[in-house]
Amino acid sequence: RSVKEFTRPEPELIKIAEGIAAGCTNAGRRFVQVAQTLLRAGLGGKDALKFAQELALKSEGEARAFVGIFRLAFLDDGLDMDLASSVQIARELSVEFKGESSWAYDDFRKIVEFCLKDRGLDLPRVACGRLASRIAKRAEVANGGISSDFMKVFKFVVDPKNGPGITTSQALETAEEIALIGPDAVENLISAYRYAIRAKGLGLPVEEAFAFARKMAQTVPSHSKVKN
């Protein structure tokens, strides 16, 4: 199956949308979208109504993020998480997110896709969900998405030919650490490692070259740690 069993939307909820629509531009449409998504996933009418009313009065971006993240978390071809966990993650990265909800949505989507499709990562779906949620949440601190930097670092450090070839667990930790500092730190890590490992550079062994590169990545000035 590509999706889980759906239940039919409750017609009464559509009527409520008419009243909500009078108070805010596109609020009615947001209400219907959220209500139908949750009802079809099997959430009870009372809870679906509560969340739909909440999202109806939020921004278009927050509603889009909620629905998009919920689908990625819940559907079988995504993370296949349980209903309650999917709703919780969707709320944390939309209405509760301190920043642009599009940052969280984009990062969550990219990490989920990367996690499920990258053979080298090979994480269980539950672990993918935790990773994607954590990386997306980091955008609050970084003042912008960090998923692209995260994936760039990860791919580099697990590469035994062009990078240090460290383990997956070490790579996940390193990628998150360096990506949070910022894009300059990513470039520092890669260029410093390449210089340290070359015979015409420092000529260090792999482990020492990697330690040197991580140290150089952490020297990025504080003003460049935030992406605007």
Side-chain angles (χ1 to χ4, degrees), residues 2 6 14-15 21-22 53 70 104 124 126 131 134 151-152 155 170 189 199 208 211 214 224:
S2 60
F6 281 179
I14 308 303
K15 295 180 181 180
Q53 287 179 316
F70 174 81
V126 173
L131 174 64
R134 191 169 66 249
M151 291 184 287
K152 185 173 183 178
K155 290 177 181 179
Q170 291 174 319
L189 178 81
E208 292 181 24
R214 288 187 68 171
S224 62

Side-chain angles (χ1 to χ4, degrees), residues 15-29 31 56-57:
K15 295 180 181 180
I16 297 176
E18 297 177 358
I20 294 177
C24 184
T25 303
N26 295 324
R29 182 170 58 79
F31 175 88
L57 301 179

Side-chain angles (χ1 to χ4, degrees), residues 153-166 171 193-194 206:
V153 173
F154 180 87
K155 290 177 181 179
F156 174 73
V157 297
V158 295
D159 186 346
K161 183 178 179 180
N162 300 304
I166 60 178
Y193 178 81
R194 289 173 175 167
V206 171

Side-chain angles (χ1 to χ4, degrees), residues 4 12 15 42 59 62 64 71 103 108 114 143 168 170 187 189 197-198:
K4 300 190 176 184
E12 296 81 8
K15 295 180 181 180
S59 69
E62 288 171 305
R64 187 183 303 110
R71 289 179 176 275
W103 299 341
F108 188 81
F114 173 66
N143 195 30
T168 296
Q170 291 174 319
E187 297 306 318
L189 178 81
I197 202 73
R198 284 201 309 266

Side-chain angles (χ1 to χ4, degrees), residues 1-7 36-44 65-90 108 112 116 125-126 129:
R1 294 175 300 132
S2 60
V3 296
K4 300 190 176 184
E5 296 292 333
F6 281 179
T7 57
Q36 288 184 333
T37 297
L38 295 177
L39 286 167
R40 287 172 177 171
L43 192 65
F66 177 89
V67 172
I69 292 168
F70 174 81
R71 289 179 176 275
L72 283 168
F74 182 71
L75 294 180
D76 290 358
D77 57 359
L79 296 173
D80 194 25
M81 299 178 69
D82 64 83
L83 182 55
S85 297
S86 300
V87 170
Q88 180 181 352
I89 288 177
F108 188 81
V112 168
L116 295 180
R125 292 191 182 192
V126 173

